């Protein structure tokens, strides 16, 4: 039996229905991705599944006992509290008590006063009365599994770690269905890969929306396509879906052409002269009325965006020369001795983790920052257009139509004069949408608007700082094609692996703090070329971080609730303690190998028995690793 079933769901917010008699079934083993253009209603459908929006018509049937949780789309900027506090909020009313217990457990390490002890005892009794210990264990387990520091203030974490905490908040509810709305948005590539590997090993059903094609291909075993209010189901991976959907659209176009031809013939017949009207067949007239009604009800697919850049002619052959560039910020090395030459026509990707200095490097190249040593020399006849990931160029209060140009209502694109409303139409803004203020736009629409503003400016050097955020897949692919055919030079910061692979001719990569290296090709080309020592350093840093975080999480509970009398180890325990580090490394290597297999593009296209067996193997290994860590800490704590 399906976990959840939507039957004949009808929902409208305007004239045309957003969801038009759709049906959807979610099974226990689903890795289901909802795809469709921006504005088609994907997030709305997710809210209907969650139960936050009630449909105008149709039914939502949920199997008894099924728990649904959601990873929220936006990371909150004004949320405060410890990591434990944020995660415990996923448990509802019991959360404040568990948070108090956790804080008091930490406090009692340094303060055993009668007052603190009395408060601690009172909280314990209240938790017992509400059967809260099992829920407390859930929080501890999720914190350990996701490698989170329980007592760190949430607001001080990186964006990737915040997203990991919010995922833990959803997982602590032990959902049968987990909903993810753009889980990779604004994450750097290591964080995306972590989430990709973690989600691949989960046992609950997944329903997610993403525009990251690499993530989609790695995770989804089923695609549901929301197009013009209709929902179609595709039991395959993403690449197979693309081929089948193209064939389906071609067949639809042929069918519509045949329909239109028949309608035109019947319209010609009905308009014939007096003689034809006298002998007219009333049945044929009624059939014509039906054809007219069907044609009126047909919803044509929204046209494609028509992205164009505004050429400023050729720049000099040498666009940027970088010599021994060095720049530090707050005693942190950003760039240390970088040498590079950018030649006209290069498409260069800038790759690195969040906070490593990618935007700082762009500001150095733009002349907004001065090098601390070394030099940056710009070539001749440069016309630069800059896309800012923070969209600071957009005034939230201005109408969309006034946000493209400063002082004119016409755009000059490669010698052709076009009214700004027509130009915005090329970026899929209807006249009504173009008159609305910028603050009313979705994230994807704001990115399209900023692209329209940037491309309206004559340029031969495009500097794009994360232009792919929030764009739907089709617009992404059009942007890729535009940049590949762009005659000028492009510098791109992006965390979209497929985008980097398709566009870039070379990459500047932040391999280590201050260590920026140049590689031929895009993201996958960098992975093949990077020296082995960078990979080993990253693994060592990750392993050390996980161990330290695990110690931080488990220490308070063991010290307060399960004090261990320190003593000499027995021979058997000493032998076990000596062998545990090697066992931990082996288990980590096995988990990494399994995760690599599951990250292969065709993994979820195999039969379900094979997929489930690999998922179970990963779960077992993770359990063994967790148990080994706990035993290692226990033995270490016993050493006098």
């Amino acid at each position: 039996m399906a976990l959840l079933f939507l039957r004949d769901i009808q929902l409208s917010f305007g004239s045309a229905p957003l969801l038009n008699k759709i049906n959807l079934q979610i099974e226990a083993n689903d890795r289901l991705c909802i795809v469709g253009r921006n504005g088609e209603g994907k997030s709305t459908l997710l809210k209907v599944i969650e139960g936050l929006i009630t449909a105008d018509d149709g039914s939502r049937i949920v199997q008894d006992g099924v728990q649904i949780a959601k990873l929220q789309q936006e990371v909150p900027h004004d949320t405060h509290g410890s990591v434990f506090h944020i995660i415990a909020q996923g448990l509802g009313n019991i959360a404040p008590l568990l948070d108090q217990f956790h804080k008091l457990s930490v406090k009692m390490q340094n303060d055993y006063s009668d007052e603190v002890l009395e408060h601690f005892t009172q909280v314990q009794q209240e938790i017992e009365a509400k059967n809260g210990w099992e829920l407390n264990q859930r929080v501890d387990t999720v914190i350990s599994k996701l490698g989170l520091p329980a007592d760190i203030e949430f607001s001080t974490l990186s964006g990737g770690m915040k997203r990991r905490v919010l995922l833990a908040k959803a997982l602590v509810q032990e959902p049968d269905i987990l909903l993810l709305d753009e889980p990779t948005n604004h994450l750097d590539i290591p964080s995306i890969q972590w989430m990709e590997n973690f989600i691949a090993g989960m046992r609950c059903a997944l329903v997610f929306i993403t525009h990251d094609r690499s993530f989609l291909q790695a995770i989804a075993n089923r695609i549901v396509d929301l197009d013009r209010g209709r929902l179609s189901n595709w039991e395959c991976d993403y690449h197979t879906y693309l081929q089948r959907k193209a064939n389906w659209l071609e067949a639809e176009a042929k069918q519509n052409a045949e329909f239109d031809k028949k309608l035109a013939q019947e319209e010609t017949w009905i308009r014939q002269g007096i003689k034809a009207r006298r002998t007219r067949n009333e049945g044929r007239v009624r059939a014509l009325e039906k054809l007219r009604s069907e044609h009126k009800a047909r919803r044509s697919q929204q046209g494609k965006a028509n992205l164009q850049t505004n050429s400023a002619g050729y720049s000099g052959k040498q666009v940027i020369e970088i010599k021994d560039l060095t720049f530090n910020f707050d005693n942190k090395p950003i760039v240390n001795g970088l040498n590079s030459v950018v030649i006209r026509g290069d498409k260069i990707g800038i790759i690195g983790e969040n906070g490593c200095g990618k935007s700082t490097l762009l500001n150095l190249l733009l002349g907004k920052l001065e090098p601390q040593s070394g030099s940056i020399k710009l070539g001749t006849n440069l016309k630069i257009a800059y896309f800012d990931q923070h969209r600071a160029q957009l005034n939230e209060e201005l109408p969309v139509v006034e946000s493209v140009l400063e002082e004119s209502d016409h755009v000059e694109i490669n010698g052709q004069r076009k009214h700004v409303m027509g130009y915005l139409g090329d970026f899929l803004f209807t006249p009504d949408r173009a008159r609305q203020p910028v603050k009313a736009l979705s994230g994807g629409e704001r990115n399209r608007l900023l692209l329209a503003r940037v491309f309206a400016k004559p340029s031969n050097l495009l500097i794009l700082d994360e232009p792919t955020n929030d764009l739907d897949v089709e617009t992404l692919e059009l942007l890729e094609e535009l940049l590949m055919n762009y005659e000028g030079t492009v510098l791109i910061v992006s965390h979209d692996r497929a985008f980097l692979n398709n566009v870039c001719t070379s990459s500047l990569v932040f391999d280590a703090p201050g260590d920026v290296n140049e590689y031929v090709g895009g993201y996958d080309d960098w992975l093949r070329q990077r020296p082995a020592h960078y990979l080993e350093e990253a693994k060592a840093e990750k392993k050390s971080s996980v161990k330290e975080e695990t110690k931080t999480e488990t220490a308070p509970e063991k010290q307060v609730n399960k004090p261990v009398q320190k003593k000499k180890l027995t021979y058997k325990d000493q032998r076990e303690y000596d062998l545990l580090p090697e066992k931990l490394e082996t288990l980590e290597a096995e988990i990494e190998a399994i995760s690599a297999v599951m990250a292969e593009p065709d993994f979820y296209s195999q039969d379900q028995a094979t997929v489930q067996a690999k998922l179970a193997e990963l779960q077992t290994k993770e359990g063994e690793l967790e148990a080994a860590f706990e035993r290692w800490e226990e033995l270490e704590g016993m050493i006098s």
Side-chain angles (χ1 to χ4, degrees):
M1 181 179 176
L3 298 176
L4 182 143
F5 184 42
L6 302 181
R7 178 183 296 158
D8 295 329
I9 293 292
Q10 184 85 12
L11 183 64
S12 300
F13 292 120
S15 55
L18 200 62
L19 305 176
N20 187 11
K21 297 291 182 183
I22 69 162
N23 295 284
L24 177 64
Q25 192 168 295
I26 300 174
E27 304 285 353
N29 62 346
D30 271 337
R31 297 285 186 269
L32 187 156
C33 183
I34 304 171
V35 302
R37 289 182 168 184
N38 288 336
E40 286 286 356
K42 300 187 297 296
S43 293
T44 301
L45 175 56
L46 217 59
K47 290 175 182 176
V48 171
I49 294 171
E50 189 179 4
L52 292 180
I53 292 179
T54 302
D56 301 331
D57 195 13
S59 55
R60 173 181 176 269
I61 303 166
V62 184
Q63 189 183 134
D64 289 343
V66 167
Q67 178 76 25
I68 302 173
K70 182 180 179 182
L71 172 63
Q72 60 197 84
Q73 183 177 15
E74 296 297 330
V75 174
H77 298 293
D78 55 353
T79 299
H80 298 280
S82 68
V83 166
F84 186 97
H85 171 77
I86 301 300
I87 295 172
Q89 286 178 347
L91 296 174
N93 295 334
I94 194 70
L97 281 176
L98 297 179
D99 189 41
Q100 283 186 59
F101 173 77
H102 181 76
K103 288 178 179 177
L104 288 168
S105 298
V106 175
K107 187 174 182 180
M108 285 181 64
Q109 295 177 46
N110 301 314
D111 184 358
Y112 280 95
S113 66
D114 292 341
E115 183 181 353
V116 173
L117 185 59
E118 182 181 351
H119 190 190
F120 180 77
T121 304
Q122 179 187 347
V123 171
Q124 275 187 318
Q125 291 171 350
E126 289 185 48
I127 293 174
E128 286 173 3
K130 296 183 179 181
N131 297 317
W133 291 120
E134 180 186 348
L135 300 179
N136 186 73
Q137 183 59 40
R138 266 200 228 171
V139 179
D140 288 338
T141 300
V142 169
I143 283 175
S144 177
K145 191 171 185 179
L146 273 68
L148 296 170
D151 302 313
I152 298 298
E153 166 63 33
F154 177 79
S155 60
T156 65
L157 298 176
S158 67
M161 286 297 287
K162 284 181 179 178
R163 187 61 66 100
R164 195 180 294 198
V165 172
L166 296 176
L167 177 60
K169 181 181 175 182
L171 293 179
V172 79
Q173 302 171 48
E174 295 188 348
D176 301 286
I177 301 173
L178 179 62
L179 309 179
L180 308 168
D181 194 352
E182 295 289 358
T184 65
N185 237 14
H186 306 288
L187 295 185
D188 57 24
I189 292 175
S191 297
I192 292 171
Q193 290 174 322
W194 176 89
M195 183 164 290
E196 192 175 287
N197 291 331
F198 184 84
I199 287 175
M202 292 175 59
R203 291 185 174 181
C204 62
L206 291 173
V207 182
F208 64 99
I209 298 169
T210 185
H211 298 143
D212 187 315
R213 289 158 293 176
S214 298
F215 182 88
L216 199 169
Q217 177 64 23
I219 299 297
N221 62 4
R222 179 177 161 210
I223 309 290
V224 291
D225 182 314
L226 186 56
D227 182 11
R228 291 163 284 172
R230 300 174 299 179
L231 200 66
S232 56
N233 184 64
W234 309 79
E235 299 277 356
C236 58
D237 65 4
Y238 178 62
H239 289 160
T240 307
Y241 151 78
L242 288 177
Q243 298 167 1
R244 294 178 181 175
K245 179 67 185 290
N247 294 336
W248 185 85
L249 287 174
E250 185 179 350
E252 182 191 47
K254 288 181 180 178
Q255 183 179 354
N256 286 342
E258 292 172 3
F259 179 96
D260 292 345
K261 181 179 179 182
K262 182 177 181 181
L263 176 60
Q265 290 171 344
E266 294 303 290
E267 292 287 4
T268 300
W269 169 78
I270 199 70
R271 289 177 175 79
Q272 286 178 355
I274 296 297
K275 182 178 179 181
R277 289 198 182 96
R278 287 177 185 160
T279 60
R280 208 162 39 188
N281 181 299
E282 291 304 319
R284 190 172 177 182
V285 173
R286 287 193 295 273
L288 174 58
E289 292 298 330
K290 184 180 179 182
L291 288 174
R292 286 172 173 171
S293 178
E294 288 179 10
H295 187 270
K296 185 178 180 180
R298 183 204 297 169
R299 289 174 65 180
S300 299
Q301 191 177 38
Q302 184 186 27
K304 290 186 177 182
N306 180 26
L307 307 185
Q308 294 184 69
T309 54
N310 201 355
S311 175
Y314 288 115
S315 67
K317 184 176 181 180
Q318 185 169 293
V319 177
I320 305 174
E321 183 182 25
I322 305 170
K323 285 187 176 180
D324 297 323
L325 175 63
T326 296
F327 188 85
N328 300 323
F329 184 76
D330 284 345
N331 296 321
K332 174 187 174 183
I334 303 297
V335 186
N336 186 15
L338 174 62
N339 290 282
S340 183
V341 176
V342 179
I343 301 300
R344 183 179 64 225
D346 282 349
K347 313 290 191 295
I348 300 176
I350 300 176
I351 301 172
E353 298 182 13
N354 284 340
C356 69
K358 301 184 297 298
S359 295
T360 300
L361 178 57
L362 288 186
N363 286 328
L364 285 165
L365 299 180
L366 286 168
K368 295 181 179 180
L369 293 173
E370 289 292 326
Q372 291 167 346
S373 66
S375 64
I376 298 172
K377 181 180 179 183
L378 299 181
T380 58
N381 195 33
L382 280 184
K383 299 292 183 182
I384 301 173
Y386 175 54
F387 181 101
D388 171 24
Q389 63 163 312
H390 302 296
R391 305 172 185 142
Q393 301 169 49
L394 298 178
N395 185 330
E396 294 276 310
E397 303 302 324
L398 282 180
V400 170
V401 69
E402 295 179 20
S403 300
V404 176
L405 300 171
E406 302 291 343
E407 301 174 350
S408 174
D409 58 359
H410 282 79
V411 182
E412 192 86 24
I413 301 292
N414 299 324
Q416 294 185 343
R417 186 174 168 83
K418 180 178 285 191
H419 192 275
V420 67
M421 293 295 284
Y423 178 67
L424 282 169
D426 290 341
F427 288 81
L428 302 182
F429 288 99
T430 63
D432 288 342
R433 202 63 173 156
R435 294 187 183 95
Q436 292 186 350
V438 172
K439 63 184 179 184
L441 301 182
S442 68
E445 288 174 318
R446 293 185 192 205
N447 257 27
R448 285 208 310 269
L449 175 59
L450 187 51
L451 286 173
R453 179 182 173 92
V454 170
F455 291 166
K457 182 179 180 180
S459 70
N460 48 35
L461 173 59
L462 284 175
I463 297 182
L464 308 176
D465 192 357
E466 297 199 30
T468 61
N469 286 337
D470 302 308
L471 293 180
D472 59 44
V473 172
E474 188 169 290
T475 306
L476 270 176
E477 291 173 346
L478 289 171
L479 180 59
E480 283 176 0
E481 185 178 355
L482 175 78
L483 295 178
M484 286 188 285
N485 295 326
Y486 181 62
E487 292 182 349
T489 308
V490 184
L491 298 178
I492 314 164
V493 172
S494 178
H495 299 303
D496 188 316
R497 292 161 288 175
F499 188 83
L500 292 167
N501 285 335
N502 293 338
V503 173
C504 296
T505 58
S506 63
S507 301
L508 286 172
V509 183
F510 287 75
D511 281 313
D515 197 355
V516 182
N517 298 301
E518 190 168 4
Y519 300 88
V520 175
Y523 176 77
D524 286 345
D525 297 303
W526 162 61
L527 291 182
R528 286 191 290 269
Q529 297 172 65
R530 61 177 169 171
H533 70 271
Y534 287 123
L535 186 59
E536 294 304 318
E537 288 170 6
K539 285 182 180 178
E541 183 179 346
K542 179 180 178 182
K543 186 183 298 183
S544 173
S545 174
V546 169
K547 288 181 179 179
E548 288 304 313
E549 287 167 351
T550 306
K551 291 178 186 178
T552 302
E553 295 146 22
T554 55
E557 179 183 351
K558 292 183 183 300
Q559 289 177 9
V560 174
N561 298 318
K562 299 177 183 178
V564 177
Q565 184 67 39
K566 293 191 175 184
K567 59 181 181 180
K568 293 284 187 180
L569 294 181
T570 65
Y571 173 80
K572 181 180 178 181
D573 287 343
Q574 184 65 53
R575 177 66 175 162
E576 182 184 5
Y577 178 74
D578 292 339
L579 293 175
L580 270 172
E582 183 179 349
K583 182 178 180 179
L584 289 170
E585 290 185 5
T586 301
L587 286 169
E588 287 173 338
E590 289 174 347
I591 289 171
E592 187 173 337
I594 295 170
S595 299
V597 170
M598 294 172 63
E600 291 294 326
D602 59 350
F603 175 75
Y604 286 98
S605 62
Q606 303 176 87
D607 63 274
Q608 285 303 303
T610 303
V611 172
Q612 291 301 321
K614 188 60 70 175
L615 290 173
E617 184 183 358
L618 179 63
Q619 189 78 14
T620 300
K621 294 296 182 185
E622 287 177 339
E624 291 177 7
L625 180 63
E626 185 176 340
F629 264 131
E630 290 177 357
R631 180 59 175 160
W632 179 70
E633 290 172 0
E634 181 183 351
L635 292 172
E636 187 175 52
M638 293 168 61
I639 299 174
S640 58

